Amino acid sequence: MSDPSQPDLRDNGASALKARVLAELPVASVLMPRVCPSKRIIYEMHIKGFTALNSAIPAELRGTYAGLAHSSAIDYLTTLGITSVSLMPVAHRMDEKRLLTLGLSNYWGYNPIAWSAPEARYASHVAQPNGQKYGDVRVEFRSTVDALHAAGIEVLLDVVYNHSGETDEWGPTLSLRGIDNATYYHLDPRDLSKYVNWTGCGNCLNVANPLVLRMVMDSLRQWVTEFGVDGFRFDLAPVMARTGINQGGQFNPLAPLLMAISQDPVLRQCTMIAEPWDIGMGGYCLGQFPSHWLEWNDRFRDTQRAFWLKHEASRGELATRLSGSTDFFDSRVRAPHSSVNFVTAHDGFTLTDLVSYCERRNWENGEENRDGHGHNLSVNFGVEGESSNEFISEFRMRSKRLLLANIVLSLGTPMLLGGDEMGHSQLGNNNAYCQDNAITWLNWGAVDEAFLQYTKQLISLRKQLTALSSGFWWKAAAHGSDTVARWFNPNGSAISPCDWHDSSARAFMLTVEGGSLCMLLFNGDDQPTEFTLPVGTWVRRLDTFTGNFALETCVRTAILNPSSLCVFEAINSLDVNISQS
């Protein structure tokens, strides 16, 4: 079609999307797990990428919903210690014409055309031992959710209600555009033939309209009531909370969708997570969603990368991120778990690539390496990409251990990118949205067993040191059930407000008391640093420099290696005098 203003007279009846009314699935026999919000540990995964190369899963189930439901997959997740899987989009999608021309597909799934229908490409269609066939895609997805629930794992679903696969005015007319274009989409008031594009995907759904709001609410309720989903991660969430374009198109924390979810008897019980930014004017909204929402915290990501990978960040910035980012999340109305702390996610470098590449390598995407983030705050330690140099490999591994420890041990909700714990690399591709192949599929035949074991022990340590997963904000002094946090220079003196922004100071100490008494020592210097410990007897629980969890007793001093974090626990908190060092 050369002119989008003219109708296309070709008959597309044979290929047009069809629909049918289906009976509701029976009520789930498995109860949804109830995960304590402060104990939640999220694992972001792609269903196909997680299972496609796993030889422990029967070949006919790899890359499918049923593959994720297989005992080996679930055992892996439970042994790892995560509580919640965040599934990348499973709603029925379409592939853009440009990708199809290149022999690619929209692997990530952020291009929906049927918001309430599970993607048929992940169905196995294999008969199960109980005689039931997974020919019904809905049954297979629901069975997978039930299997995860039976293991105590909650299921969070990445949903895309900000745009549709109809894209811009040059895109295909599949449904909403033909039903009522002006109702379902934000149109440019200067030219109603064009779309507002706060998403970067060509169009924006007008969720401020009651009909569109009803469509989204019905879809969300269906995922919960029919499929058993426990919560949602909303892609480009500000788009759905903007006023109509004629009212300025501004983000509104009291937007109809946000308020509807808050009062809905089904949805208000669910976990709601926002990706709190879009590309429109005023689209960066971290900390502005309703009090019960969680939000992806990119400030945590960037500060961790900048501080530990030798870019520019002060220890004051790092301490703010470690303690829940109260500069964005108002502690008077938000809980500490509001901040979803991550260093890597599906969009960007993997953890291995973050310490192996300074530049993106996205040539396979067919956009001449122009797509993906150009500012990654990454490091390669002298060699771009894979290296057989054992010194470079050791530097990279230390950085990975350090960054992962900061995610898991900080106040908030830790989120791991699936595959990081096993050393997965995308060969420098930081925007692998269209790579449905070995670039994105986890290589179960090349798992870094030592790093996997480190990750398991790290998550276990968080669970043991209850002060680090507190449901209460860290305070400077005890008030009721508050967790008390105190900050010190390496010599044991209290850090003053002006000390935090001393760019030459790269080391500090944190004690956290609340259920347990633990101490975290941070050394961002390039040289070993000696720390004077508070009076008492301490046991070293973790040294990220060596990856060692072996217990070691320290009394008055501890020397930290460069770019490392150590965790200590008091043998007897009553014998510790925090005020003396």
Side-chain angles (χ1 to χ4, degrees):
M1 183 175 177
S2 59
D3 185 352
S5 67
Q6 299 300 314
D8 190 334
L9 301 180
R10 291 174 295 178
D11 184 358
N12 70 336
S15 60
L17 295 173
K18 310 298 192 302
R20 57 177 175 169
V21 178
L22 299 172
E24 292 185 4
L25 296 175
V27 176
S29 58
V30 180
L31 294 177
M32 291 181 175
R34 295 300 177 189
V35 175
C36 176
S38 65
K39 311 302 180 187
R40 181 178 285 119
I41 299 173
I42 299 174
Y43 185 88
E44 188 191 29
M45 67 154 67
H46 189 287
I47 284 178
K48 183 174 184 179
F50 183 75
T51 61
L53 300 179
N54 189 344
S55 61
I57 297 174
E60 65 271 18
L61 300 183
R62 295 172 198 165
T64 71
Y65 300 119
L68 179 56
H70 190 265
S71 59
S72 64
I74 291 180
D75 289 346
Y76 177 86
L77 295 170
T78 55
T79 303
L80 186 59
I82 62 96
T83 67
S84 315
V85 292
S86 180
L87 303 180
M88 291 178 66
V90 301
H92 190 65
R93 71 179 193 270
M94 70 166 292
D95 300 314
E96 296 90 330
K97 181 179 179 180
R98 183 189 70 82
L99 294 179
L100 293 175
T101 301
L102 295 172
L104 301 172
S105 65
N106 193 309
Y107 169 72
W108 281 355
Y110 292 95
N111 203 38
I113 55 174
W115 287 269
S116 305
E119 174 57 68
R121 281 179 263 201
Y122 303 143
S124 66
H125 304 295
V126 173
Q128 299 304 295
N130 61 7
Q132 184 180 46
K133 289 186 177 181
Y134 277 160
D136 187 331
V137 180
R138 302 179 311 143
V139 171
E140 182 167 347
F141 179 70
R142 164 63 177 283
S143 298
T144 299
V145 173
D146 287 349
L148 290 163
H149 284 172
I153 299 173
E154 68 176 357
V155 178
L156 309 174
L157 191 60
D158 199 334
V159 287
V160 186
Y161 296 107
N162 56 73
H163 77 281
S164 82
E166 291 185 304
T167 66
D168 59 17
E169 60 270 17
W170 296 93
T173 297
L174 301 171
S175 57
L176 305 184
R177 176 178 290 146
I179 296 172
D180 192 342
N181 190 49
T183 292
Y184 284 97
Y185 294 114
H186 287 290
L187 303 181
D188 187 337
R190 298 164 299 182
D191 183 350
L192 295 179
S193 69
K194 299 184 181 302
Y195 295 88
V196 173
N197 190 15
W198 297 315
T199 64
C201 301
N203 64 53
C204 298
L205 289 182
N206 182 12
V207 186
N209 184 285
L211 288 177
V212 186
L213 172 63
R214 184 176 69 182
M215 179 189 73
V216 173
M217 290 293 289
D218 287 348
S219 177
L220 289 170
R221 278 191 291 263
Q222 182 175 345
W223 286 111
V224 177
T225 59
E226 190 162 345
F227 298 109
V229 167
D230 302 277
F232 303 92
R233 179 265 187 190
F234 291 82
D235 181 62
L236 301 179
V239 171
M240 300 174 293
R242 287 182 178 270
T243 60
I245 191 66
N246 292 327
Q247 290 77 46
Q250 301 300 310
F251 173 79
N252 178 13
L254 300 178
L257 176 65
L258 304 183
M259 294 300 97
I261 289 173
S262 297
Q263 62 78 43
D264 187 90
V266 172
L267 299 177
R268 69 187 180 199
Q269 308 298 325
C270 298
T271 300
M272 299 291 169
I273 306 174
E275 181 184 37
W277 51 79
D278 62 32
I279 66 171
M281 183 72 69
Y284 188 77
C285 303
L286 179 64
Q288 299 180 40
F289 279 76
S291 59
H292 62 284
W293 281 60
L294 283 64
E295 301 179 38
W296 273 26
N297 188 348
D298 64 323
R299 295 300 180 95
F300 180 95
R301 175 197 65 198
D302 292 348
T303 299
Q304 295 291 346
R305 293 184 180 190
F307 187 88
W308 294 115
L309 301 183
K310 308 307 179 185
H311 302 282
E312 189 171 342
S314 70
R315 60 178 182 171
E317 291 176 89
L318 182 65
T320 301
R321 303 297 157 240
L322 295 170
S323 53
S325 297
T326 52
D327 54 341
F328 286 97
F329 298 98
D330 187 343
S331 61
R332 297 169 299 177
V333 295
R334 304 295 293 268
H337 63 264
S338 299
S339 173
V340 176
N341 298 332
F342 68 103
V343 170
T344 55
H346 70 272
D347 186 4
F349 281 139
T350 68
L351 186 58
T352 293
D353 289 353
L354 183 65
V355 297
S356 304
Y357 293 88
C358 287
E359 303 295 336
R360 62 196 174 199
R361 296 288 188 275
N362 299 351
W363 297 101
E364 294 88 349
N365 297 352
E367 298 183 51
E368 298 183 355
N369 205 38
R370 294 190 304 264
D371 61 307
H373 295 297
H375 182 62
N376 295 287
L377 297 171
S378 58
V379 67
N380 65 13
F381 292 100
V383 173
E384 188 76 351
E386 296 181 358
S387 173
S388 59
N389 184 301
E390 60 183 56
F391 294 102
I392 291 176
S393 297
E394 182 56 31
F395 274 117
R396 290 175 175 178
M397 182 55 64
R398 290 172 189 165
S399 295
K400 287 169 59 175
R401 288 195 295 255
L402 179 58
L403 290 168
L404 190 63
N406 276 268
I407 298 171
V408 173
L409 301 178
S410 294
L411 187 64
T413 301
M415 184 182 80
L416 281 62
L417 171 62
D420 275 354
E421 77 286 357
M422 60 176 69
H424 177 64
S425 170
Q426 293 180 167
L427 305 178
N429 193 320
N430 75 348
N431 188 36
Y433 75 102
C434 56
Q435 300 299 322
D436 187 0
N437 49 49
I439 290 177
T440 53
W441 300 347
L442 304 190
N443 186 354
W444 293 84
V447 173
D448 185 333
E449 293 291 348
F451 194 62
L452 175 59
Q453 183 62 25
Y454 171 84
T455 306
K456 293 177 181 178
Q457 290 181 275
L458 184 61
I459 292 173
S460 176
L461 182 62
R462 174 185 171 90
K463 295 178 179 179
Q464 295 169 41
L465 301 179
T466 54
L468 299 179
S469 57
S470 173
F472 301 94
W473 289 100
W474 294 348
K475 302 293 185 180
H479 296 287
S481 301
D482 288 336
T483 302
V484 180
R486 297 184 176 92
W487 308 84
F488 302 92
N489 290 302
N491 64 7
S493 64
I495 297 180
S496 67
C498 62
D499 288 341
W500 282 120
H501 303 289
D502 179 358
S503 60
S504 64
R506 303 276 298 172
F508 61 97
M509 179 167 56
L510 163 68
T511 63
V512 186
E513 183 175 8
S516 63
L517 175 57
C518 57
M519 177 171 59
L520 283 72
L521 276 56
F522 301 85
N523 183 17
D525 284 330
D526 293 326
Q527 301 296 325
T529 298
E530 183 177 58
F531 286 78
T532 300
L533 309 182
V535 172
T537 304
W538 299 88
V539 174
R540 192 195 310 261
R541 299 293 307 275
L542 167 64
D543 180 354
T544 64
F545 190 86
T546 61
N548 193 350
F549 289 86
L551 303 182
E552 179 185 349
T553 302
C554 296
V555 179
R556 287 299 290 154
T557 61
I559 297 178
L560 259 66
N561 285 302
S563 297
S564 65
L565 159 63
C566 281
V567 179
F568 291 82
E569 183 179 18
I571 290 180
N572 185 345
S573 60
L574 297 178
D575 293 337
V576 175
N577 190 334
I578 300 295
S579 63
Q580 297 181 22
S581 53

